[in-house]
Amino acid sequence: MDEMDVKGMISATQSDQEDQMDLRRGPWTVEEDLLLINYITNHGEGRWNSLARCAGLKRTGKSCRLRWLNYLRPDVRRGNITLEEQLLILELHSRWGNRWSKIAQHLPGRTDNEIKNYWRTRVQKHAKQLQCDVNSKQFKDTMRYLWMPRLAERIQAAATTSGGATTNHHHHHHHLNNINTNTSTNNNIYNPDFSEGHILPASTNNEFSGSQNFTTPENSSTAASSDSMGTTDQFASSVSDLKDCYSFQTNNNNTNIINTQSPHTNFAESLFSPSSNYFNRGFELQGNVEQNSMWLGGGGGGGEDVLENLWNVEDIWFLQQQLCNGV
DNA sequence: AAGACAAGCAACCGCCCGAGG
DNA sequence: ACCTCGGGCGGTTGCTTGTCT
């Protein structure tokens, strides 16, 4: 049986069922929501197909499950994705790629659907502005070495000004407000945990000694693997250019601070730990900032929310100041 | 004021996997 | 071994809302 046959059988079965059962589709009504909530409150979740029937809902089990998990569940968090959550999403996506449910496990109350939507709308928008593929090497590098440090800086700034609180307006169910604000040491080693890559930057005595040489969309190779950086080889390839100018070195000892944690350990703490500090790493770039500005500003735009858009004039100015001051 | 366009997001779709019969 | 079913996942669609002209 080939794939077409299977597809045909599936769609026919589904449509038959929906015709027979006169199943509803599309947006949920308040009445449907109440039916679902009441039923689950009294009987619990699971066995969604029979649940849908017993609850008197003319919906597929899948539809009920989705509605419950993504919207009606009492512990679901809604509203703006906080800076901390954005940073986590970027970090986790660099590790796992489009494993939305896995990423969502580290953002309590957030659904995979919401994170996926965030990625597709916000992150991919930036890639579009930069006229490069979201999976391209330079976009990933830019995320890691510019966007994420900037996010971390903003988080820390907010934490500092508010006495350790975060920018989140909602009640935190998780532990993201436990942020290490130590920015004074020179011994911080930026330790981006690229999946199994175990890539560490050069040690402190030679770090970032080369000329800053961000690749541009124009001179980039076709490096963009559509996969996330899941293997050492893939990552090694993806950092090859940066390696030349930043003296990257691979860590062959399998030393991996983040990976040694349990899946449910607070990931944010790792991001701000002394040994993996985005804030201290982010603006240690040296060299020709004009190149950087050109390509950061390439997307044009402007006038957008500062918190939402890395690639605005203010940020570039800030970056330039950091570089001029030799930070 | 209104139409066009873009962005955001809820919901759906197809596929896959594992459990149980 | 095979089939069915429940459930989960990532990708996609299309509606709603906001912004621009």
Side-chain angles (χ1 to χ4, degrees):
Chain A
M1 186 186 300
D2 65 28
E3 198 175 326
M4 291 296 288
D5 291 334
V6 174
K7 283 181 180 175
M9 286 174 63
I10 289 172
S11 59
T13 303
Q14 285 177 345
S15 60
D16 287 349
Q17 281 180 351
E18 289 174 16
D19 288 344
Q20 288 168 14
M21 305 286 293
D22 192 28
L23 293 177
R24 277 181 48 78
R25 296 176 56 176
W28 281 63
T29 66
V30 176
E31 290 76 16
E32 288 176 313
D33 283 347
L34 288 174
L35 275 174
L36 185 56
I37 291 170
N38 285 336
Y39 189 87
I40 291 177
T41 300
N42 293 326
H43 302 92
E45 43 180 293
R47 298 185 59 83
W48 293 101
N49 279 330
S50 59
L51 183 151
R53 279 195 307 271
C54 297
L57 285 159
K58 294 183 174 180
R59 295 272 183 176
T60 65
K62 278 190 172 188
S63 181
C64 294
R65 173 181 166 272
L66 209 62
R67 182 64 177 173
W68 174 254
L69 293 178
N70 287 345
Y71 199 86
L72 299 175
R73 201 160 41 102
D75 57 333
V76 67
R77 287 184 72 214
R78 311 198 65 75
N80 292 338
I81 305 280
T82 66
L83 295 174
E84 296 93 327
E85 288 172 322
Q86 290 179 42
L87 185 55
L88 266 173
I89 292 169
L90 296 180
E91 173 61 39
L92 294 174
H93 189 275
S94 75
R95 294 179 78 191
W96 298 321
N98 297 351
R99 301 287 304 279
W100 305 118
S101 63
K102 193 170 182 178
I103 293 172
Q105 289 174 3
H106 294 268
L107 289 105
R110 298 295 185 182
T111 66
D112 54 352
N113 207 35
E114 193 168 15
I115 293 168
K116 181 173 56 181
N117 281 333
Y118 166 76
W119 183 266
R120 296 187 65 83
T121 56
R122 312 292 176 80
V123 179
Q124 290 194 352
K125 182 177 75 176
H126 289 311
K128 196 176 176 183
Q129 285 177 342
L130 294 170
Q131 295 176 321
C132 63
D133 188 273
V134 73
N135 292 311
S136 67
K137 169 189 168 299
Q138 60 265 76
F139 185 71
K140 286 175 177 173
D141 289 343
T142 305
M143 273 201 306
R144 177 149 295 269
Y145 299 109
L146 291 172
W147 192 348
M148 291 167 71
R150 187 76 172 105
L151 271 173
E153 184 270 333
R154 284 170 173 160
I155 293 166
Q156 293 215 350
T160 302
T161 57
S162 60
T166 72
T167 56
N168 189 3
H169 1 280
H170 305 292
H171 173 65
H172 272 263
H173 298 7
H174 40 89
H175 314 292
L176 291 170
N177 42 0
N178 184 14
I179 291 171
N180 179 359
T181 56
N182 174 16
T183 61
S184 61
T185 174
N186 289 326
N187 296 326
N188 289 309
I189 299 171
Y190 178 51
N191 181 23
D193 173 42
F194 277 108
S195 190
E196 283 76 41
H198 307 316
I199 304 301
L200 289 172
S203 59
T204 51
N205 56 359
N206 66 346
E207 63 184 3
F208 286 73
S209 54
S211 62
Q212 199 277 336
N213 186 28
F214 257 95
T215 55
T216 66
E218 290 74 27
N219 67 14
S220 69
S221 67
T222 55
S225 159
S226 62
D227 285 328
S228 60
M229 295 173 284
T231 68
T232 303
D233 289 343
Q234 280 175 311
F235 181 74
S237 167
S238 75
V239 297
S240 57
D241 293 343
L242 283 174
K243 207 164 137 187
D244 293 335
C245 44
Y246 293 154
S247 303
F248 271 100
Q249 63 185 21
T250 56
N251 176 6
N252 293 324
N253 299 327
N254 269 0
T255 305
N256 192 323
I257 294 166
I258 296 173
N259 270 353
T260 58
Q261 298 176 341
S262 76
H264 298 288
T265 302
N266 181 7
F267 207 85
E269 290 169 8
S270 299
L271 298 179
F272 295 96
S273 70
S275 56
S276 63
N277 195 319
Y278 285 105
F279 178 74
N280 294 320
R281 187 73 251 163
F283 299 106
E284 292 177 6
L285 310 174
Q286 297 176 10
N288 183 0
V289 71
E290 287 181 16
Q291 225 180 10
N292 213 13
S293 299
M294 281 174 61
W295 112 259
L296 287 178
E304 295 189 39
D305 185 358
V306 169
L307 290 177
E308 288 296 313
N309 192 347
L310 176 71
W311 327 112
N312 57 37
V313 174
E314 180 187 330
D315 281 335
I316 293 167
W317 177 86
F318 181 77
L319 178 58
Q320 287 173 331
Q321 294 299 306
Q322 296 290 324
L323 294 171
C324 290
N325 294 335
V327 175

